[in-house]
Amino acid sequence: MKLASYTYKDKLGDARIGAVINNSIIDLQEAYRHFSHSKHGTEQAHHLLPSRPSAFFKEGLPAIQRGKEAIEYVKIHPVANAEFALDEVKLEQPVPNPSKIICIGTNYADHVKEMKSELPEYPVLFAKFANALIGPEDSIEKSPFTEKLDYEVELAVVIGRKAARVKKQDVHHYIAGYTIGNDISARDLQKRTPQWLQGKTLDNSTPIGPWVVTTDEVTAPGHLSIKSYVNGEARQSSNTSQLIFDIPTIIEFISSLVTLEPGDIILTGTPHGVGFAMDPPQFLQAGDRVTMEIEKIGTMENIVKAITE
C-alpha cells in the first residue's frame, strides 16, 4: 500500500491520509467508514481511522492494517466520495511532524571515499528538525546564507511501533514502510564546524515522499536501485545493498540509544555522486530540477527556489 498525505487543489483544508492506487487516491478514513459500517453496522468514532496523517502514523502498524482492510473493501465496493484523481490533489509530506528525524552519515563506501572521510566503526548519527521537511511537490528553499547547496538521495525508513533495544532479527516487526528522502545539505555551513547540524536542517529544504510504501510491497529494502538526477543529468546511481550499515543494524543501534516512536523517520545515507565531490563541484541553483528515484517506491521531483529575505 502506498500511503500519501494530500490536500484538495480546489479548496482549503487540512491534509488527509490516503492510499494511492494507479492514478487515484483513496481517502482512508472515508473508505474505512464504509468498511466499518458493512462489518459492524456502525460508524461510531472509535471504529474510524484518523483523517490526519500525523495521527494515522502515530497509531502505527494497527492503523496501517485497518487501512489495508478498508482498501480491500473499496476495491470490491467502490465509494464515490472516497476516490479522487491524483491530478485533483496535491501530495503533501507523507509523515508530517515526526517526533524524530535521525540521519545516518557516511553509510556508502564510495561516498565515504569521495568525501575524503574514513570508514566509520559505528553508524554516524545526526538529526534534522521537522522545520526542514517539505512535501514531494514543494520547492526546495535555497537559503541566502549558503552558496553550496547539495543533494543526497536516501532510502528513508518510517517506524511503525515503539522500538527500544530491538534486536536485528526483530527489526521488520517495527517498520511501517519506506519512502524517499533528499538530504539537502549546505556544505559550507556543514563543514565550518565539527557538528553537521547547521548545514543539514535549513527551513523547507528536505523533501520526503512521494508516499510511504508498506513493507509488504518492499520486501527486500536492502536490494533497491537508488538514483538521483539534476536537470535530467544522472548524478547518483547505486544500490542499497552497498550500505555499510544495513537497516537492521541501524535500527538495532539507534534503538539501543533512544526509543523510537511510530512516525519517526530514519534517513539511511546517500551513495556517491554528490555535487560537492564533482570536479569542479556543482551545487544547486535556483530553478534546478532535482529528481530522486528508488526502486519499488517511485520518483520524487522538486524545484530549487532562492529565498532572498
Side-chain angles (χ1 to χ4, degrees), residues 131-195:
N131 64 285
L133 299 187
I134 59 173
E137 299 182 16
D138 295 328
S139 296
I140 298 167
E141 292 188 359
K142 182 181 181 297
S143 165
F145 299 104
T146 179
E147 296 301 325
K148 296 183 178 181
L149 203 67
D150 208 350
Y151 53 87
E152 295 188 3
V153 62
E154 306 202 11
L155 176 65
V157 181
V158 180
I159 298 299
R161 287 176 58 193
K162 187 174 182 179
R165 297 180 294 280
V166 177
K167 299 301 182 184
K168 287 183 188 180
Q169 62 269 25
D170 299 324
V171 158
H172 61 284
H173 295 302
Y174 293 84
I175 297 174
Y178 305 93
T179 187
I180 302 172
N182 183 356
D183 178 21
I184 291 289
S185 304
R187 299 298 188 191
D188 40 3
L189 306 184
Q190 176 188 354
K191 297 290 186 178
R192 66 184 181 181
T193 71
Q195 297 293 331

Short mmCIF file of all heavy atoms in Angstrom, two decimals, residues 131-195:
data_model
loop_
_atom_site.label_atom_id
_atom_site.label_comp_id
_atom_site.label_asym_id
_atom_site.label_seq_id
_atom_site.Cartn_x
_atom_site.Cartn_y
_atom_site.Cartn_z
N ASN A 131 11.12 21.33 10.85
CA ASN A 131 11.04 22.54 10.03
C ASN A 131 11.73 22.36 8.68
O ASN A 131 11.47 23.10 7.73
CB ASN A 131 11.67 23.74 10.76
CG ASN A 131 13.16 23.53 10.99
OD1 ASN A 131 13.54 22.75 11.86
ND2 ASN A 131 14.00 24.19 10.22
N ALA A 132 12.63 21.37 8.58
CA ALA A 132 13.36 21.15 7.34
C ALA A 132 12.53 20.41 6.30
O ALA A 132 12.78 20.53 5.10
CB ALA A 132 14.64 20.37 7.62
N LEU A 133 11.52 19.67 6.75
CA LEU A 133 10.80 18.78 5.84
C LEU A 133 9.82 19.52 4.95
O LEU A 133 9.13 20.44 5.38
CB LEU A 133 10.05 17.71 6.63
CG LEU A 133 10.88 16.77 7.50
CD1 LEU A 133 9.99 15.68 8.06
CD2 LEU A 133 12.05 16.18 6.72
N ILE A 134 9.76 19.09 3.69
CA ILE A 134 8.76 19.56 2.74
C ILE A 134 8.19 18.35 2.01
O ILE A 134 8.72 17.24 2.11
CB ILE A 134 9.32 20.58 1.73
CG1 ILE A 134 10.48 19.97 0.92
CG2 ILE A 134 9.76 21.85 2.44
CD1 ILE A 134 10.99 20.85 -0.21
N GLY A 135 7.12 18.58 1.27
CA GLY A 135 6.47 17.50 0.54
C GLY A 135 7.05 17.28 -0.84
O GLY A 135 7.91 18.04 -1.31
N PRO A 136 6.57 16.25 -1.52
CA PRO A 136 7.12 15.88 -2.83
C PRO A 136 6.80 16.85 -3.95
O PRO A 136 7.39 16.75 -5.03
CB PRO A 136 6.48 14.51 -3.09
CG PRO A 136 5.20 14.54 -2.31
CD PRO A 136 5.50 15.33 -1.08
N GLU A 137 5.86 17.78 -3.73
CA GLU A 137 5.52 18.75 -4.75
C GLU A 137 5.92 20.18 -4.34
O GLU A 137 5.58 21.14 -5.04
CB GLU A 137 4.02 18.69 -5.07
CG GLU A 137 3.58 17.34 -5.60
CD GLU A 137 2.10 17.29 -5.97
OE1 GLU A 137 1.48 18.36 -6.10
OE2 GLU A 137 1.58 16.18 -6.13
N ASP A 138 6.64 20.30 -3.25
CA ASP A 138 7.06 21.62 -2.77
C ASP A 138 8.42 22.01 -3.34
O ASP A 138 9.17 21.17 -3.84
CB ASP A 138 7.13 21.62 -1.23
CG ASP A 138 5.78 21.42 -0.59
OD1 ASP A 138 4.78 21.86 -1.18
OD2 ASP A 138 5.72 20.82 0.50
N SER A 139 8.75 23.28 -3.22
CA SER A 139 10.05 23.78 -3.68
C SER A 139 11.09 23.67 -2.57
O SER A 139 10.80 23.92 -1.40
CB SER A 139 9.94 25.24 -4.12
OG SER A 139 9.08 25.37 -5.24
N ILE A 140 12.30 23.31 -2.96
CA ILE A 140 13.43 23.31 -2.03
C ILE A 140 13.91 24.75 -1.88
O ILE A 140 14.28 25.40 -2.87
CB ILE A 140 14.59 22.45 -2.58
CG1 ILE A 140 14.16 20.99 -2.73
CG2 ILE A 140 15.83 22.57 -1.70
CD1 ILE A 140 15.11 20.15 -3.56
N GLU A 141 13.89 25.27 -0.67
CA GLU A 141 14.31 26.65 -0.47
C GLU A 141 15.82 26.74 -0.33
O GLU A 141 16.43 26.06 0.50
CB GLU A 141 13.63 27.23 0.77
CG GLU A 141 12.13 27.39 0.61
CD GLU A 141 11.48 28.14 1.76
OE1 GLU A 141 12.21 28.52 2.71
OE2 GLU A 141 10.25 28.34 1.71
N LYS A 142 16.43 27.60 -1.16
CA LYS A 142 17.86 27.87 -1.07
C LYS A 142 18.06 29.11 -0.22
O LYS A 142 17.77 30.23 -0.63
CB LYS A 142 18.47 28.07 -2.45
CG LYS A 142 19.98 28.32 -2.44
CD LYS A 142 20.52 28.55 -3.84
CE LYS A 142 22.03 28.76 -3.81
NZ LYS A 142 22.42 29.97 -3.04
N SER A 143 18.56 28.90 0.98
CA SER A 143 18.78 30.00 1.92
C SER A 143 19.83 30.97 1.39
O SER A 143 20.80 30.56 0.74
CB SER A 143 19.24 29.43 3.26
OG SER A 143 19.79 30.44 4.09
N PRO A 144 19.68 32.28 1.68
CA PRO A 144 20.71 33.24 1.27
C PRO A 144 22.01 33.06 2.05
O PRO A 144 23.02 33.67 1.70
CB PRO A 144 20.06 34.59 1.58
CG PRO A 144 19.06 34.31 2.65
CD PRO A 144 18.54 32.94 2.35
N PHE A 145 22.01 32.20 3.07
CA PHE A 145 23.20 32.01 3.90
C PHE A 145 24.09 30.88 3.40
O PHE A 145 25.09 30.56 4.04
CB PHE A 145 22.79 31.76 5.35
CG PHE A 145 22.03 32.90 5.95
CD1 PHE A 145 20.66 32.82 6.11
CD2 PHE A 145 22.68 34.08 6.31
CE1 PHE A 145 19.95 33.89 6.65
CE2 PHE A 145 21.98 35.15 6.84
CZ PHE A 145 20.61 35.05 7.02
N THR A 146 23.73 30.25 2.28
CA THR A 146 24.59 29.20 1.73
C THR A 146 24.79 29.42 0.23
O THR A 146 23.88 29.83 -0.48
CB THR A 146 24.00 27.80 1.97
OG1 THR A 146 24.88 26.83 1.38
CG2 THR A 146 22.61 27.64 1.34
N GLU A 147 25.99 29.11 -0.23
CA GLU A 147 26.30 29.11 -1.66
C GLU A 147 26.62 27.70 -2.14
O GLU A 147 26.95 27.50 -3.32
CB GLU A 147 27.50 30.03 -1.94
CG GLU A 147 27.24 31.49 -1.64
CD GLU A 147 26.08 32.05 -2.45
OE1 GLU A 147 25.92 31.63 -3.62
OE2 GLU A 147 25.33 32.89 -1.92
N LYS A 148 26.53 26.70 -1.24
CA LYS A 148 26.95 25.34 -1.58
C LYS A 148 25.87 24.34 -1.19
O LYS A 148 26.07 23.47 -0.35
CB LYS A 148 28.28 25.01 -0.90
CG LYS A 148 29.43 25.90 -1.38
CD LYS A 148 30.75 25.51 -0.75
CE LYS A 148 31.89 26.39 -1.28
NZ LYS A 148 33.20 26.00 -0.69
N LEU A 149 24.72 24.48 -1.85
CA LEU A 149 23.60 23.59 -1.56
C LEU A 149 23.74 22.32 -2.40
O LEU A 149 23.94 22.37 -3.60
CB LEU A 149 22.29 24.30 -1.89
CG LEU A 149 21.04 23.78 -1.19
CD1 LEU A 149 21.11 24.04 0.31
CD2 LEU A 149 19.79 24.42 -1.77
N ASP A 150 23.62 21.18 -1.73
CA ASP A 150 23.88 19.89 -2.37
C ASP A 150 22.69 18.95 -2.17
O ASP A 150 21.88 19.13 -1.26
CB ASP A 150 25.14 19.27 -1.76
CG ASP A 150 25.89 18.35 -2.71
OD1 ASP A 150 25.36 18.03 -3.79
OD2 ASP A 150 27.01 17.95 -2.35
N TYR A 151 22.60 17.93 -3.02
CA TYR A 151 21.52 16.94 -3.00
C TYR A 151 22.07 15.61 -2.46
O TYR A 151 23.27 15.32 -2.58
CB TYR A 151 21.00 16.72 -4.43
CG TYR A 151 22.13 16.39 -5.38
CD1 TYR A 151 22.56 15.07 -5.56
CD2 TYR A 151 22.81 17.40 -6.06
CE1 TYR A 151 23.63 14.78 -6.38
CE2 TYR A 151 23.87 17.12 -6.89
CZ TYR A 151 24.29 15.81 -7.05
OH TYR A 151 25.36 15.53 -7.84
N GLU A 152 21.21 14.78 -1.90
CA GLU A 152 21.60 13.44 -1.45
C GLU A 152 20.36 12.54 -1.46
O GLU A 152 19.48 12.69 -0.60
CB GLU A 152 22.19 13.47 -0.03
CG GLU A 152 23.50 14.22 0.10
CD GLU A 152 24.13 14.05 1.49
OE1 GLU A 152 23.57 13.30 2.30
OE2 GLU A 152 25.18 14.66 1.74
N VAL A 153 20.27 11.62 -2.39
CA VAL A 153 19.15 10.69 -2.41
C VAL A 153 19.34 9.64 -1.31
O VAL A 153 20.44 9.13 -1.12
CB VAL A 153 19.00 10.02 -3.79
CG1 VAL A 153 20.22 9.18 -4.17
CG2 VAL A 153 17.74 9.16 -3.82
N GLU A 154 18.26 9.35 -0.58
CA GLU A 154 18.37 8.39 0.53
C GLU A 154 17.08 7.59 0.67
O GLU A 154 15.98 8.12 0.50
CB GLU A 154 18.66 9.12 1.85
CG GLU A 154 19.88 10.02 1.78
CD GLU A 154 20.50 10.32 3.13
OE1 GLU A 154 20.10 9.66 4.13
OE2 GLU A 154 21.38 11.20 3.18
N LEU A 155 17.24 6.32 1.00
CA LEU A 155 16.11 5.49 1.41
C LEU A 155 15.75 5.88 2.84
O LEU A 155 16.61 5.91 3.73
CB LEU A 155 16.47 4.01 1.35
CG LEU A 155 15.40 3.04 1.85
CD1 LEU A 155 14.16 3.08 0.97
CD2 LEU A 155 15.97 1.62 1.93
N ALA A 156 14.47 6.20 3.06
CA ALA A 156 14.01 6.60 4.39
C ALA A 156 13.11 5.51 4.96
O ALA A 156 12.27 4.95 4.26
CB ALA A 156 13.25 7.92 4.32
N VAL A 157 13.30 5.22 6.23
CA VAL A 157 12.51 4.22 6.95
C VAL A 157 11.55 4.94 7.88
O VAL A 157 11.96 5.86 8.61
CB VAL A 157 13.42 3.29 7.77
CG1 VAL A 157 12.60 2.23 8.50
CG2 VAL A 157 14.48 2.64 6.88
N VAL A 158 10.29 4.53 7.89
CA VAL A 158 9.29 5.09 8.80
C VAL A 158 8.97 4.03 9.85
O VAL A 158 8.63 2.89 9.51
CB VAL A 158 8.01 5.51 8.05
CG1 VAL A 158 6.99 6.08 9.03
CG2 VAL A 158 8.35 6.53 6.97
N ILE A 159 9.08 4.41 11.11
CA ILE A 159 8.85 3.48 12.22
C ILE A 159 7.35 3.29 12.44
O ILE A 159 6.57 4.24 12.37
CB ILE A 159 9.54 4.00 13.49
CG1 ILE A 159 11.06 4.09 13.27
CG2 ILE A 159 9.23 3.10 14.69
CD1 ILE A 159 11.73 2.76 12.95
N GLY A 160 6.96 2.04 12.74
CA GLY A 160 5.55 1.72 12.91
C GLY A 160 5.15 1.30 14.30
O GLY A 160 3.95 1.20 14.60
N ARG A 161 6.13 1.02 15.18
CA ARG A 161 5.86 0.61 16.56
C ARG A 161 6.91 1.22 17.47
O ARG A 161 8.05 1.46 17.05
CB ARG A 161 5.95 -0.91 16.74
CG ARG A 161 4.84 -1.74 16.18
CD ARG A 161 5.13 -3.22 16.35
NE ARG A 161 5.34 -3.59 17.75
CZ ARG A 161 5.85 -4.76 18.13
NH1 ARG A 161 6.23 -5.65 17.24
NH2 ARG A 161 5.98 -5.02 19.42
N LYS A 162 6.56 1.44 18.72
CA LYS A 162 7.54 1.89 19.70
C LYS A 162 8.67 0.87 19.77
O LYS A 162 8.43 -0.34 19.91
CB LYS A 162 6.88 2.04 21.07
CG LYS A 162 7.78 2.65 22.14
CD LYS A 162 6.98 2.88 23.42
CE LYS A 162 7.84 3.53 24.49
NZ LYS A 162 7.07 3.78 25.73
N ALA A 163 9.90 1.36 19.64
CA ALA A 163 11.04 0.46 19.49
C ALA A 163 12.16 0.85 20.46
O ALA A 163 12.75 1.93 20.32
CB ALA A 163 11.55 0.49 18.06
N ALA A 164 12.43 -0.01 21.40
CA ALA A 164 13.53 0.21 22.34
C ALA A 164 14.33 -1.09 22.46
O ALA A 164 13.76 -2.16 22.67
CB ALA A 164 13.00 0.62 23.71
N ARG A 165 15.63 -0.97 22.24
CA ARG A 165 16.55 -2.12 22.35
C ARG A 165 16.08 -3.30 21.49
O ARG A 165 15.98 -4.43 21.95
CB ARG A 165 16.71 -2.52 23.82
CG ARG A 165 17.34 -1.42 24.68
CD ARG A 165 17.50 -1.83 26.12
NE ARG A 165 16.21 -2.02 26.77
CZ ARG A 165 15.44 -1.04 27.24
NH1 ARG A 165 15.85 0.22 27.11
NH2 ARG A 165 14.30 -1.30 27.82
N VAL A 166 15.79 -3.00 20.24
CA VAL A 166 15.32 -4.00 19.29
C VAL A 166 16.52 -4.79 18.74
O VAL A 166 17.55 -4.20 18.41
CB VAL A 166 14.55 -3.34 18.14
CG1 VAL A 166 14.13 -4.37 17.10
CG2 VAL A 166 13.34 -2.59 18.67
N LYS A 167 16.36 -6.09 18.61
CA LYS A 167 17.40 -6.93 18.02
C LYS A 167 17.23 -6.97 16.50
O LYS A 167 16.13 -6.84 15.97
CB LYS A 167 17.32 -8.35 18.58
CG LYS A 167 17.54 -8.42 20.09
CD LYS A 167 18.88 -7.86 20.48
CE LYS A 167 19.13 -7.97 21.99
NZ LYS A 167 20.42 -7.33 22.39
N LYS A 168 18.36 -7.17 15.81
CA LYS A 168 18.35 -7.15 14.35
C LYS A 168 17.28 -8.07 13.76
O LYS A 168 16.57 -7.69 12.82
CB LYS A 168 19.72 -7.59 13.79
CG LYS A 168 20.83 -6.59 13.95
CD LYS A 168 22.09 -7.14 13.29
CE LYS A 168 23.30 -6.28 13.58
NZ LYS A 168 24.52 -6.82 12.94
N GLN A 169 17.18 -9.27 14.31
CA GLN A 169 16.27 -10.25 13.74
C GLN A 169 14.80 -9.87 13.89
O GLN A 169 13.92 -10.44 13.24
CB GLN A 169 16.51 -11.64 14.33
CG GLN A 169 16.27 -11.74 15.83
CD GLN A 169 17.52 -11.48 16.66
OE1 GLN A 169 18.45 -10.79 16.20
NE2 GLN A 169 17.56 -12.05 17.86
N ASP A 170 14.53 -8.88 14.76
CA ASP A 170 13.15 -8.47 15.02
C ASP A 170 12.78 -7.14 14.38
O ASP A 170 11.63 -6.69 14.50
CB ASP A 170 12.92 -8.37 16.54
CG ASP A 170 13.12 -9.71 17.24
OD1 ASP A 170 12.77 -10.73 16.63
OD2 ASP A 170 13.64 -9.71 18.37
N VAL A 171 13.73 -6.50 13.71
CA VAL A 171 13.52 -5.14 13.20
C VAL A 171 12.31 -5.04 12.27
O VAL A 171 11.57 -4.05 12.30
CB VAL A 171 14.80 -4.65 12.49
CG1 VAL A 171 14.51 -3.54 11.51
CG2 VAL A 171 15.83 -4.20 13.52
N HIS A 172 12.06 -6.08 11.47
CA HIS A 172 10.97 -6.00 10.49
C HIS A 172 9.60 -5.84 11.16
O HIS A 172 8.66 -5.38 10.53
CB HIS A 172 10.97 -7.22 9.58
CG HIS A 172 10.78 -8.53 10.29
ND1 HIS A 172 11.78 -9.12 11.02
CD2 HIS A 172 9.70 -9.34 10.38
CE1 HIS A 172 11.33 -10.26 11.52
NE2 HIS A 172 10.06 -10.42 11.16
N HIS A 173 9.50 -6.19 12.43
CA HIS A 173 8.24 -6.03 13.15
C HIS A 173 7.96 -4.57 13.54
O HIS A 173 6.87 -4.27 14.04
CB HIS A 173 8.24 -6.88 14.42
CG HIS A 173 8.29 -8.36 14.17
ND1 HIS A 173 7.35 -9.02 13.43
CD2 HIS A 173 9.19 -9.29 14.58
CE1 HIS A 173 7.65 -10.31 13.38
NE2 HIS A 173 8.76 -10.51 14.07
N TYR A 174 8.93 -3.68 13.34
CA TYR A 174 8.83 -2.30 13.83
C TYR A 174 8.77 -1.27 12.71
O TYR A 174 8.74 -0.07 12.98
CB TYR A 174 10.02 -2.00 14.75
CG TYR A 174 9.99 -2.79 16.03
CD1 TYR A 174 10.49 -4.09 16.07
CD2 TYR A 174 9.44 -2.26 17.19
CE1 TYR A 174 10.44 -4.84 17.24
CE2 TYR A 174 9.38 -2.99 18.37
CZ TYR A 174 9.88 -4.28 18.38
OH TYR A 174 9.83 -5.01 19.55
N ILE A 175 8.75 -1.71 11.47
CA ILE A 175 8.81 -0.78 10.33
C ILE A 175 7.43 -0.62 9.71
O ILE A 175 6.77 -1.62 9.39
CB ILE A 175 9.82 -1.27 9.28
CG1 ILE A 175 11.23 -1.28 9.89
CG2 ILE A 175 9.79 -0.37 8.05
CD1 ILE A 175 12.28 -1.89 8.97
N ALA A 176 7.00 0.64 9.55
CA ALA A 176 5.73 0.92 8.88
C ALA A 176 5.89 0.87 7.37
O ALA A 176 5.00 0.42 6.64
CB ALA A 176 5.20 2.29 9.30
N GLY A 177 7.02 1.37 6.88
CA GLY A 177 7.24 1.39 5.44
C GLY A 177 8.45 2.22 5.07
O GLY A 177 9.24 2.62 5.94
N TYR A 178 8.57 2.50 3.78
CA TYR A 178 9.75 3.16 3.24
C TYR A 178 9.33 4.29 2.30
O TYR A 178 8.30 4.23 1.63
CB TYR A 178 10.61 2.16 2.46
CG TYR A 178 10.99 0.95 3.27
CD1 TYR A 178 10.21 -0.21 3.24
CD2 TYR A 178 12.12 0.96 4.09
CE1 TYR A 178 10.55 -1.32 3.99
CE2 TYR A 178 12.46 -0.14 4.85
CZ TYR A 178 11.67 -1.28 4.80
OH TYR A 178 12.00 -2.37 5.56
N THR A 179 10.16 5.33 2.24
CA THR A 179 9.92 6.44 1.34
C THR A 179 11.26 6.98 0.87
O THR A 179 12.32 6.42 1.17
CB THR A 179 9.05 7.52 2.02
OG1 THR A 179 8.69 8.51 1.05
CG2 THR A 179 9.75 8.19 3.18
N ILE A 180 11.21 8.05 0.08
CA ILE A 180 12.42 8.67 -0.46
C ILE A 180 12.70 9.95 0.31
O ILE A 180 11.79 10.73 0.59
CB ILE A 180 12.25 9.00 -1.95
CG1 ILE A 180 11.92 7.74 -2.76
CG2 ILE A 180 13.51 9.67 -2.51
CD1 ILE A 180 11.55 8.02 -4.21
N GLY A 181 13.96 10.17 0.65
CA GLY A 181 14.38 11.44 1.24
C GLY A 181 15.48 12.07 0.41
O GLY A 181 16.29 11.37 -0.20
N ASN A 182 15.47 13.38 0.34
CA ASN A 182 16.56 14.14 -0.29
C ASN A 182 17.21 14.95 0.82
O ASN A 182 16.71 16.01 1.22
CB ASN A 182 16.02 15.04 -1.39
CG ASN A 182 17.12 15.78 -2.13
OD1 ASN A 182 18.30 15.69 -1.77
ND2 ASN A 182 16.75 16.53 -3.15
N ASP A 183 18.33 14.43 1.33
CA ASP A 183 19.03 15.06 2.46
C ASP A 183 19.82 16.27 1.94
O ASP A 183 21.05 16.23 1.85
CB ASP A 183 19.94 14.04 3.13
CG ASP A 183 20.75 14.63 4.28
OD1 ASP A 183 20.34 15.69 4.79
OD2 ASP A 183 21.78 14.05 4.64
N ILE A 184 19.09 17.32 1.61
CA ILE A 184 19.72 18.55 1.14
C ILE A 184 20.70 19.07 2.20
O ILE A 184 20.38 19.15 3.39
CB ILE A 184 18.66 19.62 0.83
CG1 ILE A 184 17.83 19.21 -0.40
CG2 ILE A 184 19.29 20.99 0.63
CD1 ILE A 184 18.57 19.28 -1.72
N SER A 185 21.92 19.38 1.73
CA SER A 185 22.99 19.77 2.65
C SER A 185 23.64 21.07 2.19
O SER A 185 24.03 21.19 1.03
CB SER A 185 24.06 18.67 2.71
OG SER A 185 23.49 17.44 3.07
N ALA A 186 23.75 22.02 3.10
CA ALA A 186 24.51 23.25 2.84
C ALA A 186 25.96 22.97 3.22
O ALA A 186 26.32 23.02 4.40
CB ALA A 186 23.93 24.41 3.64
N ARG A 187 26.79 22.61 2.25
CA ARG A 187 28.13 22.12 2.55
C ARG A 187 29.00 23.16 3.25
O ARG A 187 29.82 22.82 4.12
CB ARG A 187 28.82 21.67 1.26
CG ARG A 187 28.13 20.54 0.53
CD ARG A 187 28.04 19.28 1.33
NE ARG A 187 27.52 18.18 0.51
CZ ARG A 187 27.15 17.00 0.99
NH1 ARG A 187 27.21 16.77 2.29
NH2 ARG A 187 26.69 16.06 0.18
N ASP A 188 28.84 24.45 2.88
CA ASP A 188 29.65 25.47 3.53
C ASP A 188 29.28 25.61 5.00
O ASP A 188 30.15 25.81 5.86
CB ASP A 188 29.54 26.82 2.80
CG ASP A 188 28.14 27.15 2.32
OD1 ASP A 188 27.19 26.37 2.58
OD2 ASP A 188 27.97 28.20 1.66
N LEU A 189 28.00 25.47 5.32
CA LEU A 189 27.59 25.54 6.73
C LEU A 189 27.92 24.24 7.46
O LEU A 189 28.34 24.25 8.61
CB LEU A 189 26.09 25.81 6.82
CG LEU A 189 25.57 27.04 6.06
CD1 LEU A 189 24.08 27.23 6.33
CD2 LEU A 189 26.35 28.29 6.46
N GLN A 190 27.76 23.12 6.77
CA GLN A 190 28.04 21.82 7.38
C GLN A 190 29.51 21.69 7.77
O GLN A 190 29.83 21.13 8.83
CB GLN A 190 27.69 20.70 6.38
CG GLN A 190 28.03 19.30 6.85
CD GLN A 190 27.83 18.27 5.75
OE1 GLN A 190 27.35 18.57 4.67
NE2 GLN A 190 28.22 17.03 6.02
N LYS A 191 30.40 22.22 6.92
CA LYS A 191 31.84 21.99 7.10
C LYS A 191 32.53 23.01 8.00
O LYS A 191 33.70 22.84 8.34
CB LYS A 191 32.53 21.98 5.73
CG LYS A 191 32.07 20.87 4.79
CD LYS A 191 32.56 19.52 5.26
CE LYS A 191 32.24 18.42 4.26
NZ LYS A 191 32.75 17.12 4.71
N ARG A 192 31.82 24.06 8.40
CA ARG A 192 32.54 25.10 9.14
C ARG A 192 32.73 24.78 10.61
O ARG A 192 33.48 25.47 11.31
CB ARG A 192 31.87 26.47 8.95
CG ARG A 192 30.49 26.63 9.53
CD ARG A 192 29.93 28.00 9.17
NE ARG A 192 28.61 28.21 9.74
CZ ARG A 192 27.89 29.32 9.55
NH1 ARG A 192 28.39 30.29 8.79
NH2 ARG A 192 26.70 29.45 10.08
N THR A 193 32.04 23.75 11.11
CA THR A 193 32.26 23.28 12.48
C THR A 193 32.27 21.75 12.45
O THR A 193 31.81 21.13 11.49
CB THR A 193 31.16 23.74 13.46
OG1 THR A 193 29.94 23.03 13.17
CG2 THR A 193 30.92 25.24 13.36
N PRO A 194 32.77 21.09 13.50
CA PRO A 194 32.75 19.62 13.53
C PRO A 194 31.34 19.03 13.55
O PRO A 194 31.15 17.90 13.13
CB PRO A 194 33.51 19.28 14.83
CG PRO A 194 34.32 20.49 15.13
CD PRO A 194 33.51 21.64 14.65
N GLN A 195 30.36 19.80 14.04
CA GLN A 195 28.99 19.33 14.07
C GLN A 195 28.28 19.71 12.77
O GLN A 195 28.35 20.85 12.32
CB GLN A 195 28.26 19.94 15.27
CG GLN A 195 28.84 19.54 16.62
CD GLN A 195 28.65 18.07 16.92
OE1 GLN A 195 27.70 17.45 16.45
NE2 GLN A 195 29.55 17.51 17.70
#
